């Protein structure tokens, strides 16, 4: 028995070492395929929808390369410009956009961005963060702590906050199994942890999941940029279309449901976070049920899968009928840039 146990332990150690070596080799191969970031992404700062009346809504974009729009060539193709355009058109209001997102940023790097954003007195902050935390193996508790600090500071200053949670890095083509499976697991775990923490801090979340659906897997040459890692202009447009309804709701433009029950997409917050991490494009927000914020499983939260994919209703809608986002076919150029 002792010999058999020793043999089993030895085989387990050998298998673990071989598996670890395989993962290291796959990571190195992925780095060779995915080039390092070189030129910074274009800026889209400026006023969108200047023809509309009223004071501009101030929107700030924080986070990493996915928030900055790395992978596109024109300012109008960046996520910030797309969201500012859609918001302006839907609300018939001008939107002033400031981008503070930095390529390569981890959650620990949000502090300087938040400080700069607060100087602009934002009405709305959109944060896209998490991918670099996964690739750098930042402990989830550490990454979430920095994100929560950012959300709380922005909310304390009166800004609404929408967070696009960590994308599923398992969708990246240069990452092969079994590393792909681990990347997907780590991404979803971080996304679920982000959702719970952000909603508790007073923000809204939208799961970016597997970079928003099977289309990225079916058409990688169209959906991904030249580096095979960041979205292309069309990929960013899909992401912005998923975020826009929640952005509008945060600004008070979405429909309100004063009375909610458990059959209207309501879950405990931990359960809602886990479900959202598995379904891209799902919004999670804190709600009251029967006048109470908390139930037996913790804080109440509502799942909403808004909008439609390219004109087709999405399966498994929760929280009522689908809500169609404003068109994002062509973003306008901000006033400052046209001048």
């Amino acid at each position: 028995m002792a010999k058999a146990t020793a043999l089993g332990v030895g085989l387990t150690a050998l298998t673990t070492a071989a598996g670890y070596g395989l993962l290291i080799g796959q990571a190195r191969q992925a780095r060779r395929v995915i080039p390092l970031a070189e030129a910074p992404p274009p800026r889209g700062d400026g006023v969108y929808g200047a023809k509309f009346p009223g004071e501009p809504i101030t929107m700030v974009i924080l986070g990493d390369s996915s928030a900055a729009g790395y992978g596109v060539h024109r300012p109008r193709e960046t996520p910030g410009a797309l969201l500012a355009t859609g918001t302006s058109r839907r609300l018939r209001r001008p939107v002033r956009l400031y981008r503070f997102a930095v390529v390569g940023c981890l959650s620990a790097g949000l502090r300087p961005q938040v400080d700069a954003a607060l100087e602009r007195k934002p009405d709305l902050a959109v944060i896209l963060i998490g991918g670099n935390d996964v690739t750098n193996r930042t402990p989830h508790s550490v990454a979430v702590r920095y994100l929560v600090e950012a959300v709380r500071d922005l909310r304390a200053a009166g800004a609404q906050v929408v967070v696009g949670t960590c994308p599923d890095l398992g969708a990246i083509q240069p990452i092969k199994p079994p590393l792909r499976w681990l990347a997907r697991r780590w991404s979803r775990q971080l996304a679920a942890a982000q959702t719970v923490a952000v909603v508790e801090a007073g923000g809204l979340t939208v799961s970016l999941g597997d970079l928003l659906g099977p289309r990225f897997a079916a058409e990688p040459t169209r959906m991904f940029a030249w580096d095979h890692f960041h979205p292309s202009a069309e990929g960013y447009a899909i992401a912005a279309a998923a975020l826009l309804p929640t952005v509008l709701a945060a600004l008070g433009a979405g429909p309100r449901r004063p009375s909610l029950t458990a059959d209207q997409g309501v879950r405990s917050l931990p359960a809602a976070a886990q479900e959202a991490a598995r379904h891209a494009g799902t919004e999670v927000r804190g709600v009251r049920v029967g006048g109470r914020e908390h139930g037996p499983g913790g804080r109440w939260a509502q799942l909403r899968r808004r909008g439609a994919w390219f004109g087709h209703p999405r399966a498994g809608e929760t929280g009522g009928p689908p809500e169609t986002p404003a068109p994002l076919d062509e973003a306008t150029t901000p006033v400052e840039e046209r001048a």
Side-chain angles (χ1 to χ4, degrees):
M1 185 178 296
K3 289 180 180 179
T5 301
L7 179 60
V9 171
L11 288 174
T12 300
L14 182 61
T15 303
T16 301
Y20 182 75
L22 175 61
L23 294 177
I24 293 296
Q26 287 187 316
R28 289 173 177 168
Q29 176 63 26
R31 291 192 188 99
R32 285 194 291 268
V33 176
I34 302 171
L36 295 175
E38 297 177 355
R43 299 199 65 86
D45 299 42
V47 177
Y48 292 76
K51 63 183 180 181
F52 295 124
E55 286 294 316
I57 297 168
T58 300
M59 178 186 298
V60 296
I61 306 294
L62 315 178
D64 55 23
S65 55
S66 63
Y70 186 84
V72 301
H73 301 288
R74 291 183 281 269
R76 69 186 186 187
E77 297 171 335
T78 60
L82 292 165
L83 290 173
T85 298
T87 301
S88 174
R89 289 178 178 176
R90 178 59 66 89
L91 300 185
R92 314 293 291 179
R93 291 269 305 277
V95 175
R96 185 180 296 277
L97 174 69
Y98 297 99
R99 192 205 82 195
F100 298 105
V102 176
V103 174
C105 181
L106 285 78
S107 297
L110 284 173
R111 180 72 265 165
Q113 296 184 30
V114 171
D115 290 341
L118 290 176
E119 294 180 2
R120 303 298 182 178
K121 296 180 172 56
D123 300 299
L124 173 77
V126 178
I127 305 175
L128 305 178
I129 197 77
N132 294 316
D133 291 293
V134 172
T135 59
N136 285 273
R137 297 301 294 129
T138 304
H140 294 167
S141 59
V142 175
V144 168
R145 184 176 76 245
Y146 285 111
L147 176 58
V148 167
E149 289 176 0
V151 173
R152 286 176 176 166
D153 288 348
L154 289 162
R155 292 290 292 129
Q160 298 297 324
V161 180
V162 174
V163 175
T165 57
C166 180
D168 183 355
L169 298 188
I172 307 300
Q173 294 298 310
I175 302 177
K176 304 300 182 183
L179 183 58
R180 175 181 296 176
W181 303 330
L182 284 176
R184 173 165 289 121
R185 180 183 177 186
W186 295 334
S187 301
R188 289 181 175 177
Q189 287 175 340
L190 178 56
Q194 288 175 321
T195 298
V196 172
V198 168
V199 173
E200 288 281 10
L204 303 176
T205 65
V206 178
S207 62
L208 296 186
D210 54 354
L211 289 176
L212 300 180
R215 192 144 176 210
F216 278 83
E219 302 179 78
T221 56
R222 290 184 60 190
M223 297 296 106
F224 287 100
W226 71 89
D227 64 358
H228 309 289
F229 187 83
H230 294 90
S232 63
E234 189 168 352
Y236 279 122
I238 295 174
L243 287 164
L244 181 60
T246 301
V247 166
L248 295 172
L251 293 171
R256 298 184 178 276
R257 298 181 177 89
S259 179
L260 296 172
T261 61
D263 62 350
Q264 292 180 298
V266 176
R267 313 276 191 277
S268 68
L269 180 52
Q274 293 292 334
E275 187 171 339
R278 296 191 300 269
H279 300 286
T282 303
E283 172 196 300
V284 180
R285 64 166 61 216
V287 294
R288 291 175 178 269
V289 175
R292 296 188 302 245
E293 287 188 351
H294 293 79
R299 179 161 185 166
W300 290 115
Q302 186 183 30
L303 292 160
R304 289 181 181 174
R305 301 188 67 189
R306 299 178 180 272
W309 295 121
F310 303 97
H312 298 284
R314 289 185 289 188
E317 294 283 342
T318 58
E323 301 165 35
T324 305
L328 290 174
D329 52 327
E330 186 72 17
T332 56
T333 303
V335 170
E336 284 81 349
E337 291 193 355
R338 288 204 303 271

